Amino acid sequence: MELNKLPIYVPDFEVNLRLGKLIILLNELSLNKKDKPVLTLEKISIFEFLTKHPVLLNRILYLKNKQLINLTNSEKYSIEALFPNRGQLFDFKEIKALLNILIGYDFIKIEIGSGFEIYYYISEKGRAYANNLTEEYFIRIQRIIQSMDTFKTLPYSKINQFVAPYLRYGIKN
């Protein structure tokens, strides 16, 4: 006799949810005030990491005297919240694959900078799609991502300096 298993969806393993999360991230953070693209692969990776770890994001916001995010108990007290997996920050394979899917749907565009950096930014089609993601999960993700707006124009190295101490020592409540 085989036991029936309940389907449990982990958002980080579900491709469609990750694509939605990424398109919201690009919609909110990809352009500066002059409509110039600012997101490189590394910055997308670190911002995506911070959306998975809002406790860590709150620590950074607190240090920078920015408004904090109201966190749920699962965001505060899970093992993953207290001890983030730093490997996710340096493995770009999955994010590249997701970005390629979004490029294929013409939801995002790329621009090559003067130093041969590749910048990713939202297209009009992508913006329209992002604005239609109105489910509670995506609204929560959007609020978290909006709190990172002040960091989007900072270089990756500076953002990484904010994150690094917490990855070394874990997050203490």
Side-chain angles (χ1 to χ4, degrees):
M1 179 176 186
E2 187 176 316
L3 295 175
N4 291 330
K5 296 181 181 178
L6 292 175
I8 296 175
Y9 293 101
V10 178
D12 292 337
F13 298 150
E14 178 60 41
V15 173
N16 291 320
L17 291 177
R18 289 202 61 199
L19 287 170
K21 212 162 106 168
L22 201 53
I23 201 159
I24 289 170
L25 189 147
L26 286 152
N27 189 39
E28 296 295 330
L29 302 178
S30 67
L31 300 171
N32 66 14
K33 290 179 183 177
K34 296 180 183 179
D35 284 336
K36 298 289 181 201
V38 295
L39 291 183
T40 60
L41 181 62
E42 293 83 4
K43 285 173 80 170
I44 292 170
S45 176
I46 204 162
F47 287 139
E48 203 240 352
F49 181 81
L50 289 171
T51 62
K52 289 179 191 175
H53 303 286
V55 171
L56 174 58
L57 176 59
N58 257 359
R59 300 297 168 116
I60 295 167
L61 292 170
Y62 177 77
L63 289 174
K64 297 296 166 192
N65 295 319
K66 303 294 179 189
Q67 184 174 348
L68 302 180
I69 306 162
N70 289 327
L71 301 176
T72 65
N73 282 340
S74 64
E75 290 169 333
K76 286 188 239 181
Y77 301 115
S78 71
I79 295 295
E80 188 173 334
L82 297 174
F83 299 98
N85 178 2
R86 66 186 355 207
Q88 298 168 338
L89 276 174
F90 309 108
D91 184 9
F92 302 129
K93 185 173 65 171
E94 286 183 20
I95 290 187
K96 281 182 184 178
L98 295 171
L99 289 170
N100 284 335
I101 291 170
L102 293 175
I103 289 168
Y105 282 106
D106 195 33
F107 287 166
I108 62 172
K109 305 273 187 197
I110 62 169
E111 182 176 302
I112 299 177
S114 59
F116 298 106
E117 306 94 350
I118 297 175
Y119 294 99
Y120 298 86
Y121 63 99
I122 194 86
S123 68
E124 287 304 315
K125 187 175 177 183
R127 190 172 301 284
Y129 189 83
N131 291 333
N132 284 324
L133 295 174
T134 57
E135 292 79 9
E136 188 177 328
Y137 173 79
F138 292 119
I139 291 170
R140 174 70 179 156
I141 293 298
Q142 184 177 21
R143 284 189 196 123
I144 291 170
I145 291 171
Q146 286 171 340
S147 71
M148 295 182 242
D149 188 67
T150 57
F151 305 124
K152 72 181 177 184
T153 56
L154 296 176
Y156 169 77
S157 59
K158 188 68 170 170
I159 300 166
N160 194 39
Q161 284 178 352
F162 299 147
V163 174
Y166 297 105
L167 296 179
R168 260 184 254 129
Y169 307 114
I171 299 173
K172 311 257 189 298
N173 285 330

